[in-house]
Coordinates of all heavy atoms in Angstrom, one line a residue:
E147 N 0.8 -1.2 0.0 CA 0.0 0.0 0.0 C 0.8 1.2 0.0 O 0.5 2.2 -0.7 CB -1.0 -0.1 1.2 CG -2.0 1.1 1.2 CD -2.8 1.0 2.4 OE1 -3.5 -0.1 2.5 OE2 -3.0 2.0 3.1
A148 N 1.9 1.3 0.8 CA 2.8 2.5 0.8 C 3.5 2.7 -0.5 O 3.7 3.9 -0.9 CB 3.8 2.3 2.0
H149 N 3.9 1.6 -1.1 CA 4.6 1.8 -2.5 C 3.7 2.4 -3.4 O 4.1 3.2 -4.2 CB 5.1 0.4 -2.9 CG 6.3 -0.1 -2.1 ND1 6.1 -0.9 -1.0 CD2 7.6 -0.1 -2.4 CE1 7.4 -1.2 -0.5 NE2 8.3 -0.7 -1.4
F150 N 2.4 1.8 -3.5 CA 1.4 2.3 -4.4 C 1.2 3.8 -4.2 O 1.2 4.6 -5.1 CB 0.2 1.5 -4.4 CG -0.8 1.8 -5.4 CD1 -0.8 1.1 -6.7 CD2 -1.9 2.7 -5.2 CE1 -1.6 1.3 -7.6 CE2 -2.8 2.9 -6.2 CZ -2.7 2.3 -7.4
Y151 N 1.0 4.2 -3.0 CA 0.7 5.7 -2.6 C 1.9 6.5 -3.0 O 1.8 7.5 -3.6 CB 0.6 5.7 -1.1 CG 0.3 7.2 -0.7 CD1 -0.9 7.8 -0.9 CD2 1.4 7.8 0.0 CE1 -1.0 9.2 -0.6 CE2 1.1 9.2 0.3 CZ -0.1 9.9 0.1 OH -0.1 11.1 0.5
L152 N 3.2 6.0 -2.8 CA 4.3 6.8 -3.2 C 4.3 7.0 -4.7 O 4.6 8.1 -5.1 CB 5.7 6.0 -2.8 CG 6.9 6.5 -3.5 CD1 7.3 7.8 -2.8 CD2 8.1 5.5 -3.3
G153 N 4.0 6.0 -5.5 CA 3.9 6.2 -7.0 C 2.9 7.2 -7.3 O 3.2 8.0 -8.2
K154 N 1.7 7.2 -6.7 CA 0.7 8.2 -7.0 C 1.2 9.6 -6.7 O 1.0 10.5 -7.5 CB -0.6 7.9 -6.2 CG -1.3 6.8 -6.8 CD -2.6 6.5 -6.0 CE -3.7 7.5 -6.5 NZ -5.0 7.3 -6.0
E155 N 2.0 9.8 -5.7 CA 2.6 11.0 -5.3 C 3.6 11.5 -6.4 O 3.7 12.6 -6.7 CB 3.3 11.0 -3.9 CG 2.2 10.9 -2.8 CD 1.3 12.2 -2.7 OE1 1.7 13.3 -2.8 OE2 0.1 12.0 -2.7
V156 N 4.4 10.6 -6.8 CA 5.5 10.8 -7.9 C 4.8 11.3 -9.1 O 5.3 12.2 -9.8 CB 6.3 9.6 -8.1 CG1 7.1 9.8 -9.4 CG2 7.2 9.2 -6.9
A157 N 3.6 10.7 -9.5 CA 3.0 11.1 -10.7 C 2.5 12.6 -10.7 O 2.5 13.2 -11.7 CB 1.7 10.3 -10.8
G158 N 2.4 13.1 -9.5 CA 2.0 14.6 -9.4 C 3.1 15.5 -9.3 O 3.0 16.7 -9.3
A159 N 4.3 14.9 -9.3 CA 5.6 15.7 -9.2 C 6.2 16.1 -10.5 O 6.0 15.4 -11.4 CB 6.6 15.0 -8.2
P160 N 6.9 17.1 -10.6 CA 7.6 17.5 -11.9 C 8.9 16.6 -12.1 O 10.0 17.1 -12.1 CB 8.0 19.0 -11.7 CG 8.2 19.1 -10.2 CD 7.3 18.1 -9.6
V161 N 8.6 15.4 -12.4 CA 9.8 14.5 -12.8 C 9.7 14.0 -14.2 O 8.6 14.0 -14.7 CB 9.8 13.2 -11.7 CG1 10.1 13.6 -10.4 CG2 8.6 12.4 -11.9
D162 N 10.8 13.8 -14.8 CA 10.8 13.4 -16.2 C 10.5 11.9 -16.3 O 9.9 11.4 -17.3 CB 12.3 13.7 -16.8 CG 12.5 15.1 -16.9 OD1 11.5 15.8 -17.3 OD2 13.5 15.6 -16.7
F163 N 11.1 11.0 -15.4 CA 10.7 9.6 -15.4 C 10.9 9.0 -14.1 O 11.6 9.6 -13.2 CB 11.6 8.9 -16.6 CG 13.1 8.8 -16.2 CD1 13.6 7.7 -15.6 CD2 14.0 9.7 -16.8 CE1 14.9 7.7 -15.3 CE2 15.3 9.7 -16.6 CZ 15.8 8.7 -15.9
F164 N 10.3 7.9 -13.9 CA 10.2 7.1 -12.7 C 10.8 5.8 -12.8 O 10.1 5.0 -13.6 CB 8.8 7.1 -12.1 CG 8.7 6.5 -10.8 CD1 9.6 6.8 -9.7 CD2 7.6 5.7 -10.4 CE1 9.4 6.2 -8.4 CE2 7.4 5.3 -9.2 CZ 8.3 5.5 -8.2
L165 N 12.0 5.5 -12.4 CA 12.6 4.2 -12.6 C 12.5 3.4 -11.3 O 13.0 3.9 -10.2 CB 14.2 4.4 -13.0 CG 14.9 3.1 -13.1 CD1 15.3 3.0 -14.6 CD2 16.1 3.2 -12.3
T166 N 12.0 2.2 -11.4 CA 11.9 1.3 -10.2 C 12.7 0.1 -10.4 O 12.9 -0.4 -11.5 CB 10.5 1.0 -9.8 OG1 9.9 0.2 -10.9 CG2 9.6 2.3 -9.6
V167 N 13.2 -0.6 -9.3 CA 14.0 -1.7 -9.4 C 13.4 -2.7 -8.4 O 13.3 -2.6 -7.3 CB 15.4 -1.5 -9.0 CG1 16.3 -2.8 -9.1 CG2 16.0 -0.4 -9.9
G168 N 13.0 -3.9 -9.0 CA 12.4 -5.0 -8.2 C 10.9 -5.1 -8.1 O 10.2 -4.2 -8.6
K169 N 10.5 -6.2 -7.5 CA 9.0 -6.6 -7.6 C 8.2 -5.6 -6.6 O 7.2 -5.1 -7.1 CB 8.8 -7.9 -6.9 CG 9.4 -9.0 -7.8 CD 9.1 -10.4 -7.2 CE 9.8 -11.5 -8.1 NZ 9.8 -12.8 -7.5
L170 N 8.7 -5.2 -5.4 CA 7.9 -4.3 -4.6 C 7.9 -2.9 -5.1 O 6.9 -2.2 -5.2 CB 8.5 -4.3 -3.2 CG 8.0 -5.4 -2.2 CD1 8.8 -5.2 -0.9 CD2 6.6 -5.3 -2.0
A171 N 9.0 -2.5 -5.8 CA 9.0 -1.2 -6.3 C 8.2 -1.1 -7.6 O 7.7 0.0 -8.0 CB 10.5 -0.8 -6.7
K172 N 7.9 -2.2 -8.2 CA 7.0 -2.1 -9.3 C 5.6 -1.7 -8.9 O 4.9 -1.1 -9.8 CB 6.9 -3.6 -9.9 CG 6.1 -3.7 -11.2 CD 6.3 -5.0 -11.9 CE 5.6 -5.1 -13.2 NZ 5.6 -6.3 -13.9
I173 N 5.3 -2.0 -7.8 CA 3.9 -1.5 -7.2 C 3.9 0.0 -7.1 O 2.9 0.6 -7.5 CB 3.7 -2.1 -5.9 CG1 3.5 -3.7 -5.9 CG2 2.4 -1.5 -5.2 CD1 3.5 -4.4 -4.6
A174 N 5.0 0.7 -6.9 CA 5.1 2.1 -6.9 C 4.9 2.6 -8.4 O 4.2 3.5 -8.6 CB 6.5 2.6 -6.4
G175 N 5.5 1.9 -9.3 CA 5.3 2.3 -10.7 C 3.8 2.1 -11.1 O 3.3 3.0 -11.9
Q176 N 3.2 1.1 -10.6 CA 1.7 1.0 -10.9 C 1.0 2.1 -10.3 O 0.0 2.6 -10.9 CB 1.2 -0.4 -10.3 CG 1.8 -1.6 -11.1 CD 1.6 -2.9 -10.4 OE1 1.2 -2.9 -9.2 NE2 1.8 -3.9 -11.1
G177 N 1.4 2.6 -9.1 CA 0.7 3.8 -8.5 C 0.9 5.0 -9.4 O 0.0 5.8 -9.5
A178 N 2.1 5.2 -9.9 CA 2.4 6.4 -10.7 C 1.5 6.3 -11.9 O 1.0 7.3 -12.3 CB 3.9 6.3 -11.1
L179 N 1.3 5.2 -12.6 CA 0.4 5.0 -13.7 C -1.0 5.4 -13.3 O -1.7 6.1 -14.0 CB 0.5 3.7 -14.3 CG 1.9 3.3 -14.9 CD1 1.9 1.8 -15.3 CD2 2.2 4.2 -16.1
K180 N -1.4 4.9 -12.2 CA -2.8 5.2 -11.7 C -2.9 6.6 -11.4 O -4.0 7.3 -11.6 CB -3.1 4.4 -10.5 CG -4.5 4.4 -10.0 CD -5.4 3.7 -10.9 CE -6.8 3.6 -10.3 NZ -7.7 2.9 -11.2
G181 N -1.9 7.3 -11.0 CA -1.8 8.8 -10.7 C -1.8 9.6 -11.9 O -1.9 10.8 -11.8
G182 N -1.7 9.0 -13.1 CA -1.6 9.7 -14.3 C -0.4 9.9 -15.1 O -0.3 10.6 -16.0
M183 N 0.7 9.3 -14.5 CA 2.0 9.4 -15.2 C 2.0 8.6 -16.6 O 1.3 7.6 -16.6 CB 3.1 8.9 -14.3 CG 4.5 9.3 -14.7 SD 5.6 9.1 -13.4 CE 7.0 9.9 -13.9
V184 N 2.6 9.2 -17.5 CA 2.6 8.6 -18.8 C 3.4 7.2 -18.8 O 4.5 7.1 -18.3 CB 3.2 9.5 -19.9 CG1 3.2 8.9 -21.3 CG2 2.4 10.8 -19.9
I185 N 2.9 6.2 -19.5 CA 3.4 4.9 -19.4 C 4.9 4.8 -19.8 O 5.6 4.0 -19.3 CB 2.5 3.8 -20.1 CG1 3.0 2.4 -19.7 CG2 2.6 4.0 -21.6 CD1 1.9 1.3 -20.1
D186 N 5.3 5.6 -20.8 CA 6.7 5.4 -21.3 C 7.6 6.2 -20.4 O 8.8 6.2 -20.6 CB 6.8 5.9 -22.7 CG 6.5 7.4 -23.0 OD1 5.9 8.0 -22.1 OD2 6.8 7.9 -24.0
R187 N 7.1 6.9 -19.3 CA 7.9 7.5 -18.3 C 8.1 6.7 -17.0 O 8.8 7.1 -16.1 CB 7.4 8.9 -18.0 CG 7.3 9.8 -19.2 CD 8.7 10.1 -19.5 NE 8.8 11.2 -20.5 CZ 9.9 11.7 -21.2 NH1 11.0 11.2 -20.7 NH2 9.8 12.6 -22.1
V188 N 7.5 5.5 -17.0 CA 7.6 4.6 -15.8 C 8.3 3.4 -16.3 O 7.8 2.6 -17.0 CB 6.1 4.3 -15.2 CG1 6.2 3.3 -14.0 CG2 5.4 5.5 -14.9
I189 N 9.5 3.2 -15.7 CA 10.4 2.1 -16.1 C 10.6 1.2 -14.9 O 11.1 1.7 -13.9 CB 11.7 2.6 -16.7 CG1 11.5 3.5 -17.8 CG2 12.6 1.4 -17.0 CD1 11.5 5.0 -17.6
N190 N 10.2 -0.1 -15.0 CA 10.5 -1.1 -13.9 C 11.6 -2.0 -14.4 O 11.4 -2.6 -15.5 CB 9.3 -1.8 -13.5 CG 9.7 -2.9 -12.4 OD1 9.7 -4.0 -12.7 ND2 9.8 -2.3 -11.2
L191 N 12.6 -2.2 -13.7 CA 13.8 -3.0 -14.0 C 13.9 -4.1 -13.0 O 13.6 -3.9 -11.8 CB 15.0 -2.2 -14.2 CG 14.9 -1.2 -15.3 CD1 16.1 -0.2 -15.2 CD2 14.8 -1.8 -16.7
K192 N 14.4 -5.3 -13.4 CA 14.4 -6.4 -12.5 C 15.7 -6.4 -11.5 O 15.5 -6.9 -10.5 CB 14.6 -7.7 -13.3 CG 13.3 -8.1 -14.1 CD 13.5 -9.4 -14.9 CE 12.2 -9.7 -15.6 NZ 12.4 -11.1 -16.2
D193 N 16.7 -5.8 -12.0 CA 17.9 -5.8 -11.0 C 18.8 -4.6 -11.0 O 18.5 -3.7 -11.9 CB 18.7 -7.1 -11.3 CG 19.2 -7.2 -12.7 OD1 19.8 -6.2 -13.2 OD2 19.1 -8.2 -13.4
H194 N 19.7 -4.5 -10.2 CA 20.6 -3.3 -10.1 C 21.3 -3.1 -11.4 O 21.5 -1.9 -11.8 CB 21.6 -3.6 -8.9 CG 20.9 -3.7 -7.6 ND1 21.0 -4.8 -6.9 CD2 20.2 -2.8 -7.0 CE1 20.4 -4.6 -5.8 NE2 19.7 -3.4 -5.8
Q195 N 21.9 -4.1 -11.9 CA 22.7 -3.9 -13.1 C 21.9 -3.3 -14.3 O 22.4 -2.4 -15.1 CB 23.3 -5.2 -13.7 CG 24.4 -5.0 -14.8 CD 25.5 -4.0 -14.4 OE1 26.2 -4.2 -13.4 NE2 25.7 -3.0 -15.2
K196 N 20.6 -3.8 -14.5 CA 19.8 -3.2 -15.6 C 19.5 -1.7 -15.3 O 19.5 -0.9 -16.2 CB 18.5 -4.0 -15.7 CG 18.7 -5.4 -16.2 CD 17.4 -6.0 -16.7 CE 17.6 -7.5 -17.1 NZ 18.6 -7.8 -18.1
A197 N 19.4 -1.4 -14.0 CA 19.2 0.1 -13.7 C 20.4 0.8 -13.9 O 20.3 2.0 -14.5 CB 18.8 0.1 -12.2
I198 N 21.6 0.3 -13.6 CA 22.9 1.0 -14.0 C 22.9 1.3 -15.5 O 23.2 2.3 -15.9 CB 24.1 0.3 -13.4 CG1 24.1 0.2 -11.9 CG2 25.4 0.8 -14.0 CD1 25.0 -0.9 -11.4
D199 N 22.7 0.2 -16.2 CA 22.8 0.3 -17.6 C 21.8 1.3 -18.2 O 22.2 2.1 -19.1 CB 22.5 -1.1 -18.3 CG 23.6 -2.1 -18.0 OD1 24.7 -1.7 -17.6 OD2 23.3 -3.3 -18.2
Y200 N 20.5 1.3 -17.7 CA 19.5 2.3 -18.2 C 20.0 3.7 -17.9 O 19.9 4.5 -18.7 CB 18.3 2.0 -17.5 CG 17.2 2.9 -18.0 CD1 16.4 2.6 -19.1 CD2 17.0 4.2 -17.3 CE1 15.5 3.5 -19.6 CE2 16.0 5.0 -17.9 CZ 15.2 4.7 -19.0 OH 14.3 5.5 -19.5
L201 N 20.5 3.9 -16.6 CA 20.9 5.2 -16.3 C 22.1 5.8 -17.1 O 22.1 6.9 -17.6 CB 21.2 5.3 -14.8 CG 20.1 5.2 -13.9 CD1 20.6 5.0 -12.4 CD2 19.2 6.4 -14.0
L202 N 23.1 4.9 -17.5 CA 24.2 5.2 -18.2 C 23.8 5.6 -19.6 O 24.4 6.5 -20.2 CB 25.2 4.1 -18.2 CG 26.0 3.9 -17.0 CD1 26.8 2.6 -17.0 CD2 26.9 5.1 -16.6
E203 N 22.8 4.9 -20.2 CA 22.3 5.2 -21.5 C 21.4 6.3 -21.7 O 21.2 7.0 -22.8 CB 21.7 4.0 -22.1 CG 22.6 2.7 -22.3 CD 22.0 1.5 -22.8 OE1 20.8 1.6 -23.3 OE2 22.5 0.5 -22.6
N204 N 20.7 6.7 -20.6 CA 19.5 7.7 -20.7 C 19.6 8.9 -19.8 O 18.7 9.7 -19.7 CB 18.3 7.0 -20.3 CG 17.9 5.9 -21.3 OD1 17.5 6.1 -22.5 ND2 18.2 4.6 -21.0
T205 N 20.8 9.2 -19.3 CA 20.9 10.4 -18.5 C 22.1 11.2 -19.0 O 23.0 10.7 -19.7 CB 21.2 10.0 -16.9 OG1 22.4 9.4 -16.8 CG2 20.0 9.3 -16.3
Q206 N 22.1 12.5 -18.6 CA 23.1 13.5 -19.0 C 23.8 13.9 -17.7 O 23.2 13.9 -16.6 CB 22.5 14.6 -19.7 CG 21.7 14.3 -20.9 CD 22.6 13.7 -22.0 OE1 23.7 14.1 -22.3 NE2 22.1 12.6 -22.6
P207 N 25.0 14.4 -17.8 CA 25.7 14.9 -16.6 C 24.9 16.0 -15.8 O 25.1 16.1 -14.6 CB 27.0 15.5 -17.1 CG 27.2 14.7 -18.4 CD 25.9 14.5 -18.9
S208 N 24.1 16.8 -16.4 CA 23.4 17.9 -15.7 C 22.1 17.3 -15.1 O 21.5 18.1 -14.4 CB 23.1 19.0 -16.6 OG 22.3 18.5 -17.8
D209 N 21.7 16.1 -15.3 CA 20.4 15.6 -14.7 C 20.5 15.4 -13.3 O 21.6 15.2 -12.6 CB 20.1 14.2 -15.3 CG 19.7 14.3 -16.8 OD1 19.4 15.3 -17.3 OD2 19.6 13.2 -17.4
C210 N 19.4 15.7 -12.6 CA 19.3 15.6 -11.1 C 18.5 14.2 -10.9 O 17.5 14.0 -11.4 CB 18.5 16.7 -10.6 SG 18.2 16.6 -8.9
L211 N 19.2 13.4 -10.1 CA 18.6 12.1 -9.8 C 18.4 11.9 -8.4 O 19.2 12.4 -7.5 CB 19.6 11.0 -10.3 CG 20.2 11.1 -11.8 CD1 21.2 10.0 -12.0 CD2 19.0 10.8 -12.7
L212 N 17.2 11.3 -8.0 CA 17.0 10.9 -6.7 C 16.8 9.4 -6.5 O 16.1 8.8 -7.2 CB 15.6 11.6 -6.2 CG 15.0 11.2 -4.8 CD1 15.8 11.6 -3.7 CD2 13.6 11.6 -4.8
F213 N 17.6 8.9 -5.6 CA 17.5 7.4 -5.4 C 16.8 7.2 -4.0 O 17.2 7.8 -2.9 CB 19.0 6.8 -5.3 CG 19.6 6.9 -6.6 CD1 20.3 8.0 -7.0 CD2 19.7 5.8 -7.4 CE1 21.0 8.1 -8.3 CE2 20.3 5.8 -8.7 CZ 21.0 7.0 -9.1
K214 N 15.9 6.4 -4.0 CA 15.2 6.0 -2.8 C 15.0 4.6 -2.7 O 14.6 3.9 -3.6 CB 13.8 6.7 -2.8 CG 13.1 6.8 -1.4 CD 12.3 5.5 -1.3 CE 11.5 5.4 0.1 NZ 11.7 4.1 0.7
G215 N 15.4 4.0 -1.6 CA 15.1 2.6 -1.3 C 15.4 2.2 0.1 O 16.2 2.9 0.7
S216 N 14.8 1.1 0.5 CA 15.0 0.6 1.9 C 16.4 0.0 1.9 O 17.0 -0.3 0.9 CB 14.0 -0.4 2.2 OG 14.1 -1.5 1.5
R217 N 17.0 -0.2 3.0 CA 18.3 -0.8 3.2 C 18.3 -2.2 2.5 O 19.3 -2.6 1.9 CB 18.7 -1.0 4.7 CG 18.9 0.3 5.4 CD 20.2 1.1 4.8 NE 21.4 0.3 4.9 CZ 22.3 0.2 3.9 NH1 22.1 0.8 2.8 NH2 23.3 -0.6 4.0
S218 N 17.2 -2.9 2.7 CA 17.2 -4.2 2.0 C 17.2 -4.2 0.5 O 17.6 -5.1 -0.1 CB 15.9 -5.1 2.5 OG 14.8 -4.4 2.1
S219 N 16.8 -3.0 -0.1 CA 16.8 -3.0 -1.6 C 18.2 -2.8 -2.1 O 18.4 -2.9 -3.3 CB 15.9 -1.9 -2.0 OG 16.5 -0.6 -1.8
R220 N 19.1 -2.4 -1.3 CA 20.6 -2.2 -1.7 C 20.8 -1.3 -2.8 O 21.6 -1.5 -3.7 CB 21.2 -3.6 -2.0 CG 21.0 -4.7 -0.8 CD 22.0 -4.5 0.3 NE 23.4 -4.2 -0.2 CZ 24.4 -4.9 0.0 NH1 24.3 -6.0 0.5 NH2 25.5 -4.5 -0.5
M221 N 20.1 -0.2 -2.8 CA 20.1 0.8 -4.0 C 21.5 1.4 -4.0 O 21.9 1.9 -5.0 CB 19.0 1.9 -3.8 CG 17.7 1.4 -4.2 SD 17.5 0.6 -5.8 CE 17.7 2.1 -6.8
E222 N 22.3 1.3 -3.0 CA 23.7 1.8 -3.0 C 24.5 1.1 -4.1 O 25.5 1.7 -4.7 CB 24.4 1.8 -1.7 CG 24.8 0.4 -1.2 CD 23.7 -0.3 -0.4 OE1 22.5 0.2 -0.4 OE2 23.9 -1.3 0.1
K223 N 24.1 -0.1 -4.5 CA 24.7 -0.8 -5.6 C 24.6 -0.1 -6.9 O 25.5 0.0 -7.7 CB 24.2 -2.3 -5.7 CG 24.6 -3.2 -4.6 CD 24.2 -4.5 -4.9 CE 24.7 -5.5 -3.9 NZ 24.3 -6.9 -4.2
V224 N 23.3 0.4 -7.1 CA 23.1 1.2 -8.3 C 23.8 2.5 -8.3 O 24.5 2.8 -9.3 CB 21.6 1.5 -8.4 CG1 21.3 2.4 -9.6 CG2 20.7 0.2 -8.5
I225 N 23.9 3.3 -7.2 CA 24.6 4.5 -7.1 C 26.1 4.2 -7.4 O 26.7 4.9 -8.1 CB 24.4 5.2 -5.7 CG1 22.9 5.5 -5.6 CG2 25.3 6.3 -5.6 CD1 22.5 5.9 -4.2
E226 N 26.7 3.2 -6.8 CA 28.1 2.9 -6.8 C 28.5 2.5 -8.3 O 29.4 3.0 -8.9 CB 28.5 1.8 -5.9 CG 28.5 2.3 -4.5 CD 28.6 1.2 -3.4 OE1 28.7 0.0 -3.8 OE2 28.5 1.5 -2.3
G227 N 27.6 1.6 -8.9 CA 27.9 1.2 -10.2 C 27.7 2.3 -11.2 O 28.5 2.4 -12.1
F228 N 26.7 3.1 -11.1 CA 26.5 4.1 -12.0 C 27.6 5.3 -11.9 O 28.1 5.7 -12.9 CB 25.2 4.8 -11.6 CG 24.8 6.1 -12.5 CD1 24.7 6.0 -13.8 CD2 24.7 7.3 -11.8 CE1 24.4 7.2 -14.6 CE2 24.4 8.4 -12.5 CZ 24.3 8.5 -13.8
T229 N 27.9 5.6 -10.7 CA 29.0 6.7 -10.6 C 30.3 6.2 -11.0 O 31.1 6.9 -11.7 CB 29.0 7.3 -9.1 OG1 29.2 6.3 -8.3 CG2 27.8 8.0 -8.8
A230 N 30.7 5.0 -10.7 CA 32.0 4.4 -11.1 C 32.0 4.3 -12.6 O 33.1 4.7 -13.3 CB 32.1 3.0 -10.6
S231 N 31.0 3.9 -13.3 CA 31.0 3.8 -14.7 C 31.0 5.1 -15.5 O 31.6 5.4 -16.5 CB 29.8 3.0 -15.3 OG 30.0 1.6 -14.8
A232 N 30.1 6.1 -14.9 CA 30.0 7.4 -15.5 C 31.3 8.2 -15.4 O 31.6 9.0 -16.2 CB 28.8 8.2 -14.8
N233 N 32.1 7.9 -14.4 CA 33.3 8.7 -14.1 C 34.5 8.0 -14.9 O 35.6 8.5 -14.7 CB 33.6 8.8 -12.6 CG 32.7 9.8 -12.0 OD1 32.2 10.7 -12.6 ND2 32.3 9.5 -10.7
S234 N 34.4 6.9 -15.5 CA 35.5 6.3 -16.0 C 35.6 6.5 -17.5 O 34.8 7.1 -18.2 CB 35.5 4.8 -15.9 OG 34.3 4.3 -16.5

């Protein structure tokens, strides 16, 4: 329920896209769609590496990114992999 609500809130925010990683986060993406976010702006990926690859291919150095995840989601893996690759 909290994930779905979060997604609905994201839909009302001025964001370009909403990237989620994993099964529970997919529920947040469903909430964003229900809240009116355009389907091609909601991206759900299965794992950290797919998120890293997506970010490397679809972001610019001037983009502002917000990472949110519980400790168990291990989102620091995405941040570390993305920044290491982007800086090399």
Side-chain angles (χ1 to χ4, degrees):
E147 186 176 308
H149 288 88
F150 190 83
Y151 178 76
L152 170 68
K154 285 183 78 173
E155 291 295 309
V156 167
V161 298
D162 293 320
F163 65 89
F164 186 39
L165 178 115
T166 65
V167 180
K169 292 178 185 177
L170 277 177
K172 187 174 184 176
I173 297 169
Q176 293 167 345
L179 294 172
K180 187 71 169 179
M183 197 164 194
V184 180
I185 195 165
D186 65 345
R187 297 293 186 181
V188 179
I189 300 98
N190 180 257
L191 301 168
K192 290 184 180 184
D193 59 49
H194 297 117
Q195 188 58 53
K196 291 195 185 310
I198 294 165
D199 295 341
Y200 183 90
L201 291 168
L202 289 170
E203 293 175 21
N204 295 284
T205 60
Q206 302 298 316
S208 62
D209 288 347
C210 178
L211 306 174
L212 169 68
F213 292 86
K214 191 273 178 227
S216 65
R217 291 295 305 134
S218 64
S219 70
R220 306 283 316 246
M221 288 303 289
E222 70 272 11
K223 289 184 174 186
V224 176
I225 297 167
E226 291 165 2
F228 173 64
T229 55
S231 295
N233 291 327
S234 61

